[in-house]
Amino acid sequence: MGHHRNPLRTTAVGVVSATLIAGGAFGLPHAQAADAVRFVDIAGDGGTVLKANVTTPAGADGTRRYPLVVLPTSWGFPQAQYLVQAQKLANSGYIVVGYNVRGFWQSGGEIEVAGPSDMADASKVIDWALANTPADSKHIGMAGVSYGAGISLLAAAHDKRIKAVASLSGWADLIGSIYSGRTQHVQAAALLDGVSLVTGRQSPESRQVFNDFYASDLSKEQEIIDWGKKRSAATYLDQLNKNGAAVMMAGAWGDTIFPPNQNADFYEKLTGPKRLEFRPGDHATAELTGLFGLPNDVWTDTERWFDHYLKGEDNGIDREEPVQLKSRSGGGYEGYPDWKSVGATRKKLALADTTTIHTNVDSGADGGIVFLSSILDQVAQLPPVASIPLLPRRWAAVWQSEKYGTAQQVRGTAKLHTTLTPTKESGTLVAYLYDVGPLGLGKLVSNAPYTFHGRTPGEPFDVDLELNSTAYDVPAGHRLALVVDTVDPLYIEHNPSGAQLTFSSPANDPSYVSIPLREQ
């Protein structure tokens, strides 16, 4: 945080916000209805009314108990969001309670962004279900998309009654998601902010956090980090492992709200039954069709996960490779025994010579637009592009590999290591990895921002940066290129006027980008 340009809440973000709200408000209530669905009020923490719906199996008459699945809604979505999936689960023998999280739509209270009251609400909903439905207290699961996913994961750490979780497009580390590389992900924050202003009521604390986040006041940085840690399952990892819930996590490679790295890091530290899935797409786009009742791999695996860990069915999900990935370039699922096996081989692209770039100007290398760019990549394999030969070297540093004789299957997390000498004490850089074709057109493979403060001008220091994890196939005859510039609409930049950044590769500490590749 520090000096920066005022964040622009672009027209594109507004359009995406309106689209999401419209889809949530008007698209989902047309879910299949049934006599077994009833709408109820549940008293949450402090007596706050939570609007909810209960779906029970046909013929449930109280003579037997059923496993319970609790579904907290996504950010800005109404309580009808999960009606289709709730009906499917009920048809398979589950009691399902979907509820509108506090602060949104007709539920009471204010938005606390997965704060302590949200955790207490989840337990209150379970209490209510056990008292008012034929739910089995020994077989309880939670699932949700986005905000509901984060709440479900946190709830499992706070309530040991929860035996299985499906976190779909959620987060494990909130600060690692929207403040990675010590850089504000401004489009992501503005989208969340805008949606909540239209569909809910922000608490004074939440409003202040958004304001401080935009303002880049370094004196507020630790407060924001502490606020985010309280809302991150990673903070409660030991308790979650102690409780022993079976955790399934699913996400998208291009998630511009909750990038995949933080979930992959968290997954590796889980000690109980676990599963990790990544697919092409952006935030919550992989799960979306399932909300309308269309065939959907994420929801199918969610039901299989619950069937095994709540109902005890021997459906084989526990014997499959627990890490399941789908490349952005097409093809079927790839199974791995763990996350570290995904990029089993690494190749280094040397970043030789000394290069100086000027700051404050967008070179044309960008991470795209929140939601829109990754959706294009998901449905048409059209990621953000840039003409690598035409990037102005005054504002962009460019390094390229030789042409590859065979296809390179990039899998996992590329890592940048370089030596940086700034002319000012603060600054921001954004690193991009491109797949460059014969005509010099680069397709974005991955990117990540990095911000520094308090450095001595003219004094070099090491930069180590993890790019967003991905799965992408570089065709034979193409190159990989690393591009570094200082401005990207996705992020707030902190480059003082007139600043320059110099990248060097000392003989005793060479600069490189390490590319993770699938073992052939």
Side-chain angles (χ1 to χ4, degrees):
M1 296 181 169
H3 299 294
H4 73 288
R5 289 185 174 81
N6 290 329
L8 298 179
R9 300 190 190 183
T10 63
T11 301
V13 171
V15 170
V16 174
S17 300
T19 301
L20 285 175
I21 295 164
F26 304 113
L28 299 181
H30 295 293
Q32 177 184 353
D35 292 337
V37 179
R38 58 192 174 102
F39 293 85
V40 299
D41 290 349
I42 297 176
D45 186 44
T48 297
V49 173
L50 304 175
K51 295 295 183 178
N53 53 76
V54 183
T55 311
T56 56
D61 56 9
T63 60
R64 57 166 290 193
R65 295 287 172 177
Y66 299 88
L68 168 67
V69 174
V70 176
L71 302 172
T73 53
S74 301
W75 186 270
F77 277 70
Q79 61 158 310
Q81 177 183 8
Y82 301 116
L83 282 181
V84 169
Q85 288 300 324
Q87 185 67 56
K88 286 188 173 184
L89 286 166
N91 289 342
S92 297
Y94 293 90
I95 301 290
V96 186
V97 179
Y99 73 95
N100 226 130
V101 292
R102 65 170 50 226
F104 285 102
W105 294 91
Q106 290 82 24
S107 282
E110 297 175 323
I111 300 166
E112 299 185 13
V113 195
S117 290
D118 292 293
M119 297 306 96
D121 285 346
S123 292
K124 291 286 189 181
V125 171
I126 292 173
D127 293 342
W128 184 92
L130 294 178
N132 294 277
T133 74
D136 186 343
S137 63
K138 296 181 179 179
H139 299 92
I140 299 172
M142 281 193 73
V145 177
S146 184
Y147 194 40
I151 288 176
S152 295
L153 202 56
L154 282 160
H158 287 81
D159 192 328
K160 62 183 180 181
R161 295 176 296 178
I162 300 169
K163 303 303 182 184
V165 173
S167 174
L168 315 179
S169 288
W171 76 93
D173 182 348
L174 191 57
I175 295 300
S177 296
I178 62 174
Y179 192 52
S180 70
R182 211 177 175 187
T183 309
Q184 298 102 312
H185 296 211
V186 67
Q187 284 193 14
L191 176 61
L192 296 173
D193 189 6
V195 169
S196 65
L197 288 172
V198 174
T199 64
R201 301 164 300 283
Q202 295 177 356
S203 69
E205 181 186 32
S206 299
R207 181 67 260 158
Q208 189 61 51
V209 167
F210 275 118
N211 291 343
D212 291 342
F213 187 83
Y214 298 138
S216 299
D217 182 353
L218 273 178
S219 69
K220 299 289 187 179
E221 182 181 35
Q222 191 58 50
E223 290 181 27
I224 293 175
I225 290 173
D226 292 342
W227 174 88
K229 284 183 176 179
K230 290 179 182 178
R231 291 156 169 81
S232 298
T235 302
Y236 312 101
L237 175 68
D238 290 344
Q239 188 60 45
L240 182 61
N241 283 334
K242 181 180 177 181
N243 289 349
V247 177
M248 171 181 155
M249 305 175 72
W253 296 119
D255 195 321
T256 43
I257 308 292
F258 305 129
N261 300 46
Q262 43 93 31
N263 277 332
D265 292 342
F266 179 77
Y267 169 84
E268 283 291 87
K269 298 171 185 175
L270 291 171
T271 57
K274 58 185 180 178
R275 182 179 178 93
L276 180 67
E277 302 182 354
F278 284 126
R279 299 171 175 82
D282 204 313
H283 182 64
T285 62
E287 299 88 357
L288 185 61
T289 57
L291 296 178
F292 295 93
L294 300 174
N296 184 279
D297 291 350
V298 187
W299 286 104
T300 296
D301 287 348
T302 295
E303 186 170 343
R304 292 175 63 224
W305 190 252
F306 286 151
D307 284 347
H308 181 74
Y309 288 103
L310 296 183
K311 294 167 66 176
E313 291 186 4
D314 184 14
N315 57 15
I317 197 167
D318 58 319
R319 295 188 295 275
E320 297 171 0
E321 296 279 25
V323 177
Q324 294 285 322
L325 312 180
K326 203 168 189 179
S327 171
R328 292 163 50 201
S329 304
Y333 286 95
E334 303 165 3
Y336 300 87
D338 48 38
W339 176 251
K340 65 178 178 290
S341 300
V342 171
T345 304
R346 284 191 170 269
K347 286 186 180 179
K348 286 185 177 180
L349 168 57
L351 311 180
D353 304 323
T354 298
T355 302
T356 298
I357 61 174
H358 296 251
T359 64
N360 305 114
V361 174
D362 190 339
S363 71
D366 287 323
I369 298 172
V370 64
F371 274 108
L372 299 181
S373 297
S374 291
I375 290 174
L376 276 175
D377 187 37
Q378 177 183 359
V379 301
Q381 295 183 13
L382 291 175
V385 298
S387 175
I388 305 304
L390 297 181
L391 291 175
R393 271 31 177 196
R394 178 179 177 85
W395 295 297
V398 180
W399 297 268
Q400 295 193 74
S401 71
E402 298 297 321
K403 289 183 179 179
Y404 293 112
T406 58
Q408 305 293 299
Q409 294 183 308
V410 179
R411 299 290 187 275
T413 309
K415 300 178 181 180
L416 167 65
H417 174 76
T418 189
T419 298
L420 174 62
T421 306
T423 59
K424 304 288 185 179
E425 62 90 23
S426 293
T428 296
L429 62 89
V430 185
Y432 309 89
L433 188 65
Y434 283 101
D435 160 25
V436 186
L439 300 179
L441 186 66
K443 294 183 177 181
L444 187 65
V445 177
S446 184
N447 79 100
Y450 178 91
T451 294
F452 61 89
H453 296 292
R455 292 292 177 175
T456 302
E459 186 173 303
F461 63 93
D462 288 344
V463 170
D464 288 287
L465 175 63
E466 289 190 349
L467 277 63
N468 292 331
S469 303
T470 196
Y472 183 97
D473 299 345
V474 180
H478 286 212
R479 310 171 188 264
L480 280 172
L482 183 80
V483 176
V484 178
D485 72 1
T486 64
V487 176
D488 189 305
L490 287 175
Y491 313 112
I492 290 180
E493 51 96 357
H494 302 258
N495 296 297
S497 181
Q500 298 177 32
L501 303 179
T502 296
F503 302 92
S504 57
S505 184
N508 63 343
D509 186 20
S511 295
Y512 61 86
V513 59
S514 174
I515 311 296
L517 299 173
R518 183 184 183 189
E519 189 171 10
Q520 300 297 305

